[in-house]
Amino acid sequence: MRIFSGIQPTGRKHLGNFIGAIEQYVHHQDQGEAIYCIVDLHATTVRYDPTELRERLYDTAAILLAAGIDPARAIFFRQGDVLEHSELAWLLSSVTAFGDLNRMHQFKEKSGAQRDLASAGLFTYPVLMAADVLAYRADTVPVGDDQRQHVELMRDIAQRFNARFGETLVVPRGVYREIGARIMDLQEPARKMSTTGGTEQGTVYVLDDAATIERKFKRAVTDSGAEIVRRPDKPGISNLIEILAAVTGRSFEDVERAHAASRYGDFKAAVAEAVVERLQPVHERYDALRADEPALERVLREGAEKARAIAAPVLVDVRRAMGVGPVG
Ligand code: AMP
Ligand code: TRP
């Protein structure tokens, strides 16, 4: 089984990324042939600074390695290093319905936030994402809940390609964590935790120090009443239960039972402590990894070579099926 996922190099990675995606990547390394990519081409679709992009890319690479991605077991690379992604995106755009792209929630959210330019790249973002996965004939795509619509679209694109040009691509399946696929903002638990859409105090970053993490949880919005249970009218407490369950690998029921007699304040402190404990080894490894940019660069380049060895023959098949480029 082949696994593929991508992560943006923009902004700082937060607890939602860590629980919903990064922990899954590490887990899936042992489940099959895992391929992980930092998507710098996607990052150019919104306003950005080129120098910053490189810095954030190294930050992201170091976070993923610190979290446990092992380049000896998984292919780990930078999207922009493998030109096949861009070419396949163009070719797939011909079997992508304009109307489908027009329905993408993420485009609507992000384009509204761009004051100077809502780019065509932002609109076709999901086609590049489909190309990322389909270039490797990956079977599964571990992502957070907010990527469901994009995964459905890539399935449609693969199916439409195969129907029109003959069986060429694998139709991938999204994989979502049962606990932690959608971590909410600590200040506004009706919104997902996010670098762009959330609140600063309600977003816990992977690299926040222990004191900052404790403060953010202490100030987390809770609900009226005193019970520690997951219920639709208790979004704040439900989110904290979910975070605690995810970072400790326990069930919701376990967490609810263990804290049935706790007060909100004590419960929040317990969640903070578990998150700090979970992130501490990541912090320790991060500093050493981030300090050595040439080593990060080496890892990414070696990963790109392995990635290209898989993607290039797929592109040969795609070109042949579509009648594009030289014969043979
Ligand atoms: P991004 O940083 O936007 O590339 O997201 C990386 C991964 O984190 C994707 O698989 C997202 O679905 C996932 N993700 C982002 N926000 C959250 C969240 N609040 N809860 C769970 N997963 C998330
Ligand atoms: N769009 C994804 C996100 O914002 C990132 C991404 C790009 C991705 N290409 C991918 C995820 C391919 C999975 C597979 O989180």
Side-chain angles (χ1 to χ4, degrees):
M1 193 179 62
R2 194 174 276 162
I3 300 134
F4 186 100
S5 197
I7 188 162
Q8 295 249 18
T10 43
R12 294 165 287 168
K13 294 294 131 186
H14 54 69
L15 197 57
N17 300 135
F18 188 78
I19 293 173
I22 298 171
E23 281 196 327
Q24 278 212 88
Y25 301 168
V26 175
H27 169 75
H28 280 101
Q29 286 183 130
D30 305 316
Q31 315 283 302
E33 186 187 1
I35 308 175
Y36 300 125
C37 168
I38 306 183
V39 296
D40 55 348
L41 298 175
H42 277 113
T44 67
T45 59
V46 293
R47 190 176 179 78
Y48 78 102
D49 175 72
T51 312
E52 268 290 290
L53 176 57
R54 282 202 193 281
E55 295 296 318
R56 297 295 84 81
L57 192 129
Y58 290 137
D59 295 350
T60 308
I63 289 178
L64 292 179
L65 293 170
I69 290 199
D70 175 5
R73 281 186 293 163
I75 297 178
F76 179 50
F77 71 108
R78 172 172 49 207
Q79 186 186 36
D81 288 4
V82 181
L83 303 183
E84 279 76 5
H85 292 236
S86 314
E87 184 186 357
L88 186 58
W90 175 258
L91 295 171
L92 294 177
S93 68
S94 298
V95 289
T96 306
F98 179 87
D100 287 346
L101 289 177
N102 222 2
R103 275 191 285 280
M104 294 290 125
H105 308 307
Q106 191 170 299
F107 173 71
K108 288 180 198 164
E109 285 159 25
K110 287 197 184 173
S111 60
Q114 299 300 308
R115 261 170 286 143
D116 49 346
L117 175 75
S119 69
L122 191 58
F123 187 68
T124 56
Y125 176 115
V127 186
L128 178 59
M129 177 164 164
D132 293 341
V133 175
L134 302 182
Y136 298 89
R137 296 198 168 109
D139 305 290
T140 55
V141 185
V143 278
D145 201 57
D146 61 348
Q147 297 299 313
R148 274 179 198 272
Q149 207 188 19
H150 288 158
V151 173
E152 285 313 306
L153 181 68
M154 74 174 72
R155 290 170 55 84
D156 288 349
I157 292 174
Q159 278 158 352
R160 196 169 299 125
F161 187 100
N162 289 344
R164 176 141 176 230
F165 298 113
E167 281 302 316
T168 310
L169 300 172
V170 170
V171 182
R173 191 167 50 80
V175 182
Y176 311 91
R177 267 187 89 159
E178 218 167 295
I179 298 179
R182 193 173 178 79
I183 299 299
M184 310 310 277
D185 189 283
L186 300 186
Q187 290 294 319
E188 292 185 19
R191 287 159 64 174
K192 68 171 182 184
M193 190 176 285
S194 140
T195 339
T196 44
T199 65
E200 182 64 20
Q201 284 310 309
T203 307
V204 175
Y205 294 100
V206 173
L207 299 179
D208 276 347
D209 59 33
T212 307
I213 294 174
E214 279 156 15
R215 191 186 64 228
K216 286 178 177 174
F217 276 104
K218 194 169 177 189
R219 295 189 187 156
V221 167
T222 43
D223 315 290
S224 55
E227 289 161 288
I228 295 175
V229 285
R230 286 171 75 242
R231 258 199 345 237
D233 64 328
K234 297 174 83 72
I237 287 294
S238 299
N239 188 40
L240 294 174
I241 293 173
E242 182 136 2
I243 291 171
L244 186 52
V247 297
T248 56
R250 287 147 73 197
S251 68
F252 295 135
E253 292 73 23
D254 240 24
V255 169
E256 287 173 352
R257 219 175 299 123
H259 290 278
S262 306
R263 287 183 314 202
Y264 279 175
D266 297 334
F267 178 57
K268 290 199 277 187
V271 182
E273 193 188 321
V275 170
V276 168
E277 199 172 304
R278 178 69 188 86
L279 293 178
Q280 195 197 337
V282 180
H283 288 178
E284 283 166 12
R285 287 191 287 264
Y286 175 84
D287 290 332
L289 287 160
R290 181 64 184 85
D292 193 351
E293 287 184 5
L296 292 172
E297 196 55 48
R298 250 189 330 273
V299 165
L300 294 169
R301 280 175 199 234
E302 283 169 17
E305 259 170 58
K306 293 184 202 158
R308 210 173 296 124
I310 301 174
V314 176
L315 261 290
V316 170
D317 291 347
V318 168
R319 282 190 214 111
R320 189 180 294 139
M322 292 182 78
V324 164
V327 182

